[in-house]
Every structure is written in C-alpha cells, then in structure tokens.
Amino acid sequence: ETGVTQSPTHLIKTRGQQVTLRCSSQSGHNTVSWYQQALGQGPQFIFQYYREEENGRGNFPPRFSGLQFPNYSSELNVNALELDDSALYLCASSWTSGNEQYFGPGTRLTVT
Amino acid sequence: QKEVEQNSGPLSVPEGAIASLNCTYSDRGSQSFFWYRQYSGKSPELIMFIYSNGDKEDGRFTAQLNKASQYVSLLIRDSQPSDSATYLCAVNDNNNDMRFGAGTRLTVKP
C-alpha cells in the first residue's frame, strides 16, 4: 500500500454529465499528478499540481480541470463527459515535482 | 512528439529464468526513468527508478540506463510466477511530464 487513496472506486455517468474524482496524497508528499489509463494502454498524463498550483499539463482539453488543497489532496473534474472518457483514472503523489511517483488504487469511470 | 516504446509482448519465461524488459525513449532531455509493475485490474506499483547511466540493483531487479542510446531496461532474476504482470516503463523530463510506454506483458511459467 502506498498511502495514496482515491474515491470513489467505481463510477458510472451519462454522456454530457460532470464528474469529480478525489485523491489524498501520501503523508509528506506535496505533488499530485493525474493520469488516464485506457484498457491495454499505458497511463496518459493529464496534469500535475505542486503546492496548490498547476505545474504541467498533458494533451487534454480544458474540460479536464483540477484543484489541489492546502493539505495537498486533489480533485480532478471532467465536464461534458464523452464516451471516450471511460477509463481508469489514476492519481500519483511524490515528495516533489520530478521525483518518483506512487499511485493510488484508481477510479474506474464508465460513461454510457 | 515524445515517445516511450516497449515491446508489448507477451514475454514468456520459465520460473527461475532471467526476464529482460526493454524500453526506448525519444526525448534526449529526459532526466529520470521508472519501472512500474501493474497486475490486471490494479494500479501501477513502482519497483525501480534510475537517474544516472549504468546499473542499479535492488534485490532480484536490475535497472540499466544508457542515455546515449536512449535505452532503459529491467532485468528480473530468478523469475517467479508472482512476477507475471504488465511492466510499464516511464520517463520524466524537466517539464514534469511523465510519459509511459504501453507496457510489456510478462508471463512466468512454473
């Protein structure tokens, strides 16, 4: 166990809806990164938060947004859900940006 | 486009053998390199990281990095059936953009 937690474990949403996923980082970690993993593929980087500021973003549209709170926990928000958003969403925390990252168990999102 | 390439496998080795997993990357500015193990239906688990050219050993695992050839590998000695999983190579550059390969599926046969 890494100490990184995510909620919920599973989620089913309808196309066009909005979703919020949550992540609590490992104790002592100030950096949280979010990834999307489709079946049979490696995780794709969405964005990273370092000390409450966005600190890098992958090739995802603006309807993917996030927050990091003073306790370094984080949220991923996705608006206007599309069928292709169905995936495993992973949160990873690290001591600081650039260091090794430790993943939470993930949230499985299904969009119907 | 920054790419991380892995042979998708499946790679099959007998129990007790050495499994060799390979990864190449396109971005010469890459600074840090990671190997993750992912069991089916689970999240990735960090097993090795390496920042400098050469070898790094941890138990049965050895990571090898050659920045000139843009190549990183993972050797698993005395492979066990419990090592059967997908192994993900990840590369981080100074832009905090961690890029993953698609993974190599390893099967260790008893």
Side-chain angles (χ1 to χ4, degrees):
Chain A
E1 297 294 325
T2 62
V4 181
T5 62
Q6 291 186 245
S7 63
T9 305
H10 297 90
L11 202 52
I12 299 175
K13 289 286 190 178
T14 302
R15 188 172 49 184
Q17 287 188 316
Q18 178 265 342
V19 69
T20 297
L21 310 182
R22 295 178 174 83
C23 170
S24 291
S25 60
Q26 186 171 318
S27 177
H29 287 187
N30 60 24
T31 302
V32 171
S33 303
W34 286 92
Y35 296 85
Q36 179 195 68
Q37 187 176 24
L39 206 58
Q41 297 183 21
Q44 299 293 312
F45 175 70
I46 302 175
F47 43 57
Q48 182 183 88
Y49 279 85
Y50 170 65
R51 293 187 173 183
E52 303 179 60
E53 297 288 331
E54 188 177 290
N55 188 43
R57 188 179 182 93
N59 190 27
F60 279 81
R63 59 189 185 85
F64 286 78
S65 63
L67 283 174
Q68 187 178 33
F69 300 99
N71 66 354
Y72 303 131
S73 65
S74 178
E75 286 182 354
L76 164 66
N77 299 290
V78 187
N79 292 324
L81 284 167
E82 300 177 359
L83 296 179
D84 284 349
D85 296 333
S86 295
L88 178 67
Y89 287 85
L90 295 161
C91 156
S93 75
S94 54
W95 293 108
T96 188
S97 177
N99 282 27
E100 57 272 19
Q101 298 181 8
Y102 298 88
F103 283 88
T107 294
R108 174 73 61 186
L109 173 65
T110 302
V111 183
T112 62
Chain B
Q1 182 77 359
K2 301 174 185 177
E3 302 288 345
V4 178
E5 301 287 344
Q6 295 181 253
N7 187 328
S8 64
L11 173 65
S12 182
V13 300
E15 184 174 356
I18 296 174
S20 178
L21 304 162
N22 304 316
C23 173
T24 59
Y25 59 95
S26 63
D27 181 14
R28 286 195 171 274
S30 300
Q31 298 292 318
S32 46
F33 307 85
F34 306 88
W35 283 99
Y36 286 85
R37 176 174 63 198
Q38 188 171 27
Y39 293 112
S40 181
K42 301 294 186 180
S43 64
E45 173 192 5
L46 179 67
I47 53 173
M48 289 288 289
F49 58 90
I50 186 166
Y51 300 140
S52 304
N53 275 329
D55 294 1
K56 179 181 178 182
E57 187 174 318
D58 184 1
R60 296 187 296 114
F61 299 99
T62 299
Q64 299 175 316
L65 174 61
N66 184 325
K67 288 187 178 181
S69 299
Q70 295 175 244
Y71 176 91
V72 58
S73 65
L74 178 70
L75 300 178
I76 305 175
R77 290 180 298 281
D78 187 24
S79 295
Q80 301 297 309
S82 59
D83 293 327
S84 298
T86 295
Y87 288 80
L88 298 164
C89 171
V91 175
N92 203 350
D93 62 18
N94 282 335
N95 292 323
N96 309 315
D97 180 358
M98 180 102 99
R99 293 183 178 264
F100 283 79
T104 297
R105 189 155 53 94
L106 171 67
T107 300
V108 181
K109 295 188 174 180

